[in-house]
Amino acid sequence: MLHVIILAAGEGKRMRSAQPKVLQPVGGRAMLAHLLETVSGLKPDQVHIVIGQGAEMVQASLPDFTGRFAHQTERLGTGHATLQAMDEIPAGARVLVLPGDMPLVRVQTLQALLDERAPLSLLSFMANDPTGYGRILRDGQDRVTQIREQADATPQEAMVKEVNSGVLVGESAALKAWLEQLVPRNAQGEYYLTDVVGLAVGDGQHVSGVIADDANELMGANDRAQLALLEQVYQARCRRQLMADGAILEDPSTVYVKGRVQVGQDVVIGPQVTLQGDVTLGDGVVIGPGCVVSESDLAAGTEVKAHCVLEGIQTTGPCQLGPFARLRPGTELASGVKVGNFVEIKKSKLAEGAKVSHLSYIGDATLGQEVNVGAGTITCNYDGVNKHHTRIGDGAFIGSNSSLVAPVSIGERAVIGAGSVISKDAPADQLSLTRAPQRQIEGWTRPDKAKKKK
Ligand code: UD1
Ligand code: CA
């Protein structure tokens, strides 16, 4: 039986944030959320999250969590925090303890530690800069004897590069007994989880120390600078995955992933692109430089030119978007749609072959097949209180600089004269226009610079 305890009660003072540390984001998601996803891969019987500082915020961030929360009412240290979860764990269970601020650990690494069958096993790594981590002390036979926190280390101990990841595994009854023996006799006056190592060794138990190959995945984040390091590692991982899945990243180090991205084959992602939330890019999709694509699903063959911002949109066939288009939630574009520069579209459906090529706002609208919307066309969808719908039938042609005052319906194949303000339905197959007649002003002369009085 496997029980997992995640320590998430700390405030994270060093972050200087109104949010508890475990909610700080890596790749746009809370550190704790990453860890929970990884832990689920171990198929544990129960997950316990120890909460305290900002407990409500932590709970609120995990609406789908099916494990249990244990409360640590005072911040007395990691050992004390672990103990708060132990009452609900039966004797004989294996207990895996994880700090809540190490989001990058991979399931294989945790599994390798679980495969160790020692009474107590811990995961360590070699740090170039061990600052802030507990140092692993070993005896002449290379056996782990103790973990020394930085604050308590002698200068010589502080030079040790093998550091504690904070992850350990033990049998519940033994672990609980050691936790109950902890004393806060150290520089920080805390009950250190790490002291169970010395206690186990004192009981004549073997403590196995597994040194992970990849130090990067075990880094913790106590402050913003460390959080930025984790972000780098995470981004590198995401980029490698995108490339492994078949995408070309023209300048990998400038592509940012803040969510879950699925790519088909031969997707091309230009420089300085950010992908957020759930994003799906079908085969051959091209995302030009400088685009931000969030919560969107782009069908195979869709081309997004430079500097577009897409949020909550869907293309159901190959489309051409941008450059400089802003497409907002609820936009659905069928095959062959073209959206050009400086066009904003919100909550609208464009059928096959519809074109909005320049400088338009289309909101709360339905555009039929092969509709052509001229430059500068605006759907006036908002009366200050309510949003209204605009419907444009198949094959209609909207002349440039028209205002379509919703609710309004434009018939199939209708033509709207340029510059019109259309506030009544326009019938199919006819030209509708509202336009003051052009006139000439007799005797008007142009102001002349040369004649201007000083
Ligand atoms: C801890 C380890 C250190 C290890 C490092 C790895 C101890 C004493 N030290 O140090 O050996 O190298 O992690 O990153 O364990 N927490 C609580 N309640 C508390 C205190 C902390 O729930 O009273 C939680 C925090 O929210 C955090 C985790 O425990 O998620 C670790 O605490 P943190 O303060 O980050 O420990 P470190 O100083 O990094
Ligand atoms: Ca930490």
Side-chain angles (χ1 to χ4, degrees):
M1 200 191 313
L2 175 64
H3 283 246
V4 177
I5 301 176
I6 299 178
L7 306 180
E11 177 182 359
K13 280 202 191 69
R14 294 163 278 184
M15 283 289 172
R16 295 179 178 275
S17 170
Q19 288 210 314
K21 174 162 67 176
V22 295
L23 296 188
Q24 299 298 329
V26 169
R29 281 201 303 155
M31 293 201 275
L32 183 56
H34 285 276
L35 197 55
L36 279 172
E37 187 181 332
T38 306
V39 160
S40 72
L42 297 170
K43 309 255 179 296
D45 295 281
Q46 178 75 287
V47 178
H48 311 253
I49 303 180
V50 184
I51 52 176
Q53 197 71 42
E56 317 72 43
M57 281 192 255
V58 177
Q59 280 176 299
S61 78
L62 300 172
D64 302 327
F65 177 59
T66 53
R68 62 177 281 275
F69 291 102
H71 292 265
Q72 185 194 27
T73 45
E74 286 175 286
R75 242 50 59 216
L76 300 179
T78 49
H80 179 260
T82 309
L83 195 54
Q84 308 312 304
M86 293 303 295
D87 282 343
E88 301 287 324
I89 302 180
R94 300 194 83 205
V95 180
L96 171 67
V97 186
L98 299 163
D101 63 347
M102 56 160 344
L104 303 183
V105 66
R106 289 175 313 151
V107 69
Q108 306 89 290
T109 309
L110 295 177
Q111 192 57 57
L113 185 71
L114 288 171
D115 292 343
E116 290 287 306
R117 286 286 162 177
L120 191 65
S121 308
L122 60 87
L123 196 56
S124 68
F125 63 97
M126 305 305 295
N128 290 333
D129 175 10
T131 309
Y133 293 101
R135 312 298 203 273
I136 308 289
L137 307 184
R138 292 179 184 257
D139 66 13
Q141 268 117 37
D142 223 22
R143 289 178 301 211
V144 175
T145 57
Q146 222 164 38
I147 300 176
R148 186 80 75 221
E149 290 307 300
Q150 161 125 359
D152 306 296
T154 63
Q156 204 167 9
E157 287 168 341
M159 278 157 58
V160 171
K161 300 261 176 164
E162 186 189 355
V163 299
N164 175 30
S165 69
V167 182
L168 58 80
V169 186
E171 184 277 323
S172 58
L175 184 61
K176 189 169 183 210
W178 293 321
L179 288 168
E180 282 169 344
Q181 290 170 50
L182 293 176
V183 284
R185 222 178 291 130
N186 50 56
Q188 300 182 83
E190 290 185 357
Y191 296 88
Y192 286 166
L193 171 61
T194 45
D195 281 348
V196 300
V197 170
L199 291 167
V201 171
D203 282 354
Q205 302 290 339
H206 170 61
V207 177
S208 107
V210 176
I211 306 179
D213 314 325
D214 179 8
N216 279 339
E217 68 176 271
L218 298 179
M219 293 193 301
N222 294 328
D223 57 30
R224 304 277 186 187
Q226 286 174 328
L227 193 64
L229 278 180
L230 296 196
E231 187 71 47
Q232 270 179 26
V233 172
Y234 179 76
Q235 291 302 333
R237 202 186 267 184
C238 292
R239 292 162 188 150
R240 270 200 305 275
Q241 187 62 48
L242 288 174
M243 292 189 272
D245 292 344
I248 292 177
L249 270 54
E250 292 178 331
D251 187 1
S253 66
T254 66
V255 172
Y256 289 87
V257 178
K258 298 181 173 185
R260 295 162 208 270
V261 179
Q262 285 183 17
V263 292
Q265 292 184 351
D266 301 310
V267 163
V268 178
I269 300 175
Q272 304 289 352
V273 167
T274 299
L275 304 169
Q276 294 173 335
D278 287 327
V279 171
T280 306
L281 307 177
D283 291 346
V285 165
V286 177
I287 308 288
C291 290
V292 178
V293 180
S294 41
E295 306 288 356
S296 292
D297 182 353
L298 305 185
T302 296
E303 184 186 357
V304 187
K305 293 180 181 152
H307 301 293
C308 289
V309 178
L310 313 184
E311 184 190 354
I313 81 149
Q314 192 189 6
T315 68
T316 55
C319 292
Q320 281 218 25
L321 314 179
F324 300 104
R326 174 164 188 227
L327 307 187
R328 295 167 47 200
T331 296
E332 221 183 286
L333 310 176
S335 172
V337 163
K338 184 168 178 266
V339 176
N341 43 218
F342 310 112
V343 171
E344 175 179 350
I345 301 183
K346 182 214 94 169
K347 209 172 171 186
S348 295
K349 263 185 146 172
L350 277 63
E352 287 78 10
K355 292 180 179 51
V356 187
S357 297
H358 336 261
L359 299 151
S360 288
Y361 171 63
I362 304 295
D364 302 298
T366 312
L367 276 59
Q369 294 179 15
E370 304 294 334
V371 161
N372 192 315
V373 175
T377 297
I378 305 290
T379 54
C380 310
N381 61 327
Y382 186 48
D383 60 16
V385 179
N386 307 295
K387 300 277 165 64
H388 299 284
H389 199 82
T390 299
R391 204 194 74 83
I392 306 180
D394 292 348
F397 183 98
I398 313 297
S400 295
N401 212 32
S402 294
S403 301
L404 307 177
V405 183
V408 72
S409 181
I410 311 296
E412 295 180 359
R413 296 169 305 279
V415 174
I416 303 299
S420 294
V421 177
I422 299 296
S423 50
K424 289 190 302 199
D425 289 355
D429 297 301
Q430 290 184 36
L431 169 66
S432 299
L433 79 171
T434 66
R435 193 185 286 169
Q438 183 167 334
R439 53 194 182 126
Q440 282 70 44
I441 310 295
E442 293 290 330
W444 181 83
T445 55
R446 192 174 165 176
D448 187 338
K449 262 192 187 160
K451 289 187 192 153
K452 190 177 171 188
K453 289 197 181 109
K454 292 274 154 64

